[in-house]
Amino acid sequence: MGLGRFGSAIALTLERLGHDVLAAERSADIVAQFTGRFPLVEADCTNPEALVQLGVHDFPVAVVGVGTSLEASVLIAGNLVDLGVPQIWAKAISAEHSRILRRIGVHHVVLPEADAGNRVAHLVSGKLLDYIEVEDDFTIVKMRPPRETQGFTLEQSQIRKRYGVTVIGVKPPGEDFVYATPDTRISANDILIVSGSADLLERFAARP
């Protein structure tokens, strides 16, 4: 619900991936802009009756993309909670907005700007090639291997024991990704996929 940059990007991507999508937007101009690109209707989702007519309660997942109006966002999210939608995702524009959404029962709250800023900060401050913070301090990173691991197998380098992080897989240049085993040997040009807590990953990535 809501077809700003956030909501429209989700709808277009889900449609491209082959998922059934029904988008709802209050603005007739925005509806006209996206007509023909994916199924959508003009509706005011702050009205619970509109959601009932759309059959939202039959959908397994709903996304609230409204960010400019905190009141509209909270009303729509509350309506979805009342209708018992199993998984509700919602965009928040501030920590306070996020707190309210979580309190009324939204399952997943996204702060796009804060999340993007956090991710970029980790990327520009070290050797990380990508950074995904999942939740509960569980993070996955893509990185180049420290020199002390190069030429050794994972069993020999004892990365998990020494640094508290786990190498999930290795991507040698020009080859397919492979899941890591104790016998996996790391080369200088490999890309590592590593999981663990953010602090421990930062410490490991900071190794020369």
Side-chain angles (χ1 to χ4, degrees):
M1 290 106 187
L3 286 176
R5 284 178 295 181
F6 179 79
S8 61
I10 291 176
L12 287 166
T13 302
L14 289 173
E15 177 74 8
R16 188 174 68 249
L17 292 173
H19 296 285
D20 293 328
V21 175
L22 175 62
E25 167 60 49
R26 181 166 56 183
S27 167
D29 291 339
I30 296 178
V31 169
Q33 179 183 343
F34 287 101
T35 296
R37 303 181 71 178
F38 46 76
L40 76 164
V41 295
E42 181 181 340
D44 180 4
C45 295
T46 62
N47 181 352
E49 289 300 321
L51 293 179
V52 171
Q53 291 176 11
L54 291 175
V56 169
H57 51 282
D58 292 327
F59 283 76
V61 181
V63 179
V64 182
V66 178
T68 54
S69 170
L70 189 149
E71 180 182 5
S73 169
V74 171
L75 284 173
I76 295 170
N79 291 338
L80 293 171
V81 172
D82 290 343
L83 289 172
V85 177
Q87 289 291 322
I88 304 169
W89 292 73
K91 172 186 175 181
I93 57 174
S94 67
E96 181 66 13
H97 187 186
S98 173
R99 185 185 66 80
I100 294 171
L101 289 171
R102 292 183 187 280
R103 179 166 292 183
I104 64 176
V106 171
H107 307 102
H108 307 280
V109 178
V110 181
L111 288 99
E113 291 189 0
D115 293 344
N118 181 47
R119 178 171 175 268
V120 170
H122 284 90
L123 298 183
V124 302
S125 65
K127 296 186 300 182
L128 300 180
L129 303 175
D130 207 349
Y131 180 98
I132 303 173
E133 189 171 353
V134 184
E135 60 181 337
D136 296 331
D137 198 34
F138 180 76
T139 303
I140 299 173
V141 302
K142 181 168 71 172
M143 61 176 285
R144 297 289 184 186
R147 282 200 302 268
E148 66 198 71
T149 68
Q150 297 170 15
F152 297 96
T153 66
L154 291 177
E155 185 174 26
Q156 290 169 336
S157 57
Q158 294 288 297
I159 292 173
R160 187 170 187 175
K161 182 177 180 180
R162 295 170 62 191
Y163 297 105
V165 299
T166 301
V167 177
I168 300 173
V170 178
K171 174 68 171 65
E175 298 180 28
D176 293 334
F177 169 89
V178 293
Y179 287 101
T181 69
D183 295 327
T184 300
R185 189 174 300 275
I186 297 173
S187 301
N189 294 322
D190 288 344
I191 294 175
L192 306 183
I193 308 298
V194 191
S195 67
S197 72
D199 290 345
L200 293 177
L201 286 168
E202 290 282 2
R203 192 176 307 165
F204 179 58
R207 300 295 298 172

